Amino acid sequence: MADLRSPRPAVRRRGAAAVALAAAFGLVATAWPLLAAPGGALTESTSGPWLFALLLPVVTAVVLVQLSEGGMDARAVAMLGVLSAVVAAVRPFGAGAAGVETVFFLIILAGRVFGPGFGFVLGNTGLFASALLTGGVGPWMPYQMFAAAFVGLGAGLLPGPGAAAPRTRRGRFAELAMLASYAVVASLAFGLLLNMSFWPFAITQGSLAYVPGGGLGENLSRLLAYSLATSLGWDLGRAVTTALLIALTGPILLRLMRRTARRAQWN
């Protein structure tokens, strides 16, 4: 019989709270153009992205420590390392050319099986490793890491037993359809979040320009118009590529990941 006085539930809550705080920080860090007050430091200079880049390793370290205290064993650590390396290795094959991205399907499938915390951390570590491998280090990197982390986090929060395989063929098909549909939405959202890394500084005049302190509604409409005019083609290419890769590789990779999940521990 389980010991009701065991501290394990509280530890799990601390791990979940760490992920929630890191996600909230990432959302604020990414969406600062929509939240900055008129005349604030973030609206007058480009120091904001660099500040978030400096704080990002600290936030990631907190998440890893809290999650390890919540029951992450050696197998889960190994799986995280392997998938981060795979993400870094396969990303150059897509490299975002014409919107083709070859990494997000792995983050989505892993987040689905191992949970939102794993998906959030994998998005960070995978994009960080790929940036080091390809020389893609720059002020845009923290935005890419946080946006990819949200992709993995959302996959882990999708309904249904993520680590348990559907028992019927119809259930497996429905799961793949759900993941492919989520891939389309997440790919478009990724492009929107990534645009915020340079949109405030790319255009200074016109209907697409960022208005410092212009309010959430005004700047959000300008951001959407800017995204439609500049990055929609790449975002659609990312969406199609990710959905197709999930449909093609999902049945095999989900089965392999779930077999590992039964032997590993990630609370």
Side-chain angles (χ1 to χ4, degrees):
M1 182 175 179
D3 185 359
L4 298 180
R5 296 171 296 176
S6 172
R8 298 286 293 174
V11 172
R12 293 193 187 101
R13 286 195 293 269
R14 287 200 298 270
V19 175
L21 289 174
F25 174 84
L27 184 61
V28 173
T30 305
W32 70 265
L34 304 178
L35 305 174
L42 293 178
T43 62
E44 302 298 333
S45 68
T46 61
S47 60
W50 288 109
L51 175 62
F52 301 136
L54 293 174
L55 292 176
L56 179 61
V58 178
V59 176
T60 305
V62 171
V63 174
L64 288 172
V65 170
Q66 292 292 342
L67 289 176
S68 65
E69 292 179 355
M72 176 175 146
D73 66 4
R75 294 186 183 93
V77 174
M79 178 57 67
L80 179 63
V82 168
L83 288 177
S84 297
V86 172
V87 168
V90 303
R91 194 181 185 197
F93 292 98
V100 176
E101 291 279 6
T102 53
V103 297
F104 292 101
F105 80 102
L106 285 172
I107 297 175
I108 291 174
L109 294 177
R112 170 64 175 171
V113 173
F114 292 99
F118 190 98
F120 183 85
V121 178
L122 177 61
N124 274 296
T125 57
L127 270 291
F128 180 73
S130 69
L132 295 180
L133 181 65
T134 61
V137 178
W140 56 85
M141 187 179 69
Y143 288 90
Q144 291 180 336
M145 293 170 64
F146 269 131
F150 287 130
V151 172
L153 177 68
L157 295 175
L158 291 174
R167 296 182 179 181
T168 64
R169 179 177 299 180
R170 182 177 180 180
R172 291 190 292 269
F173 177 80
E175 182 183 43
L176 284 178
M178 178 183 66
L179 291 175
S181 300
Y182 171 77
V184 173
V185 176
S187 297
L188 296 176
F190 178 88
L192 191 66
L193 291 174
L194 195 59
N195 282 344
M196 282 192 256
S197 65
F198 54 86
W199 163 62
F201 320 111
I203 301 177
T204 58
Q205 295 180 348
S207 60
L208 304 182
Y210 168 64
V211 178
L216 177 62
E218 180 180 4
N219 278 322
L220 182 59
S221 63
R222 289 171 176 263
L223 172 63
L224 292 175
Y226 175 84
S227 299
L228 289 174
T230 59
S231 66
L232 182 60
W234 279 263
D235 296 339
L236 290 176
R238 182 187 306 110
V240 172
T241 302
T242 306
L244 285 177
L245 287 174
I246 286 178
L248 293 174
T249 66
I252 297 175
L253 292 181
L254 285 173
R255 184 165 61 250
L256 293 176
M257 290 181 183
R258 280 168 171 149
R259 184 179 303 169
T260 303
R262 287 194 295 269
R263 300 175 181 177
Q265 182 177 358
W266 182 282
N267 292 319

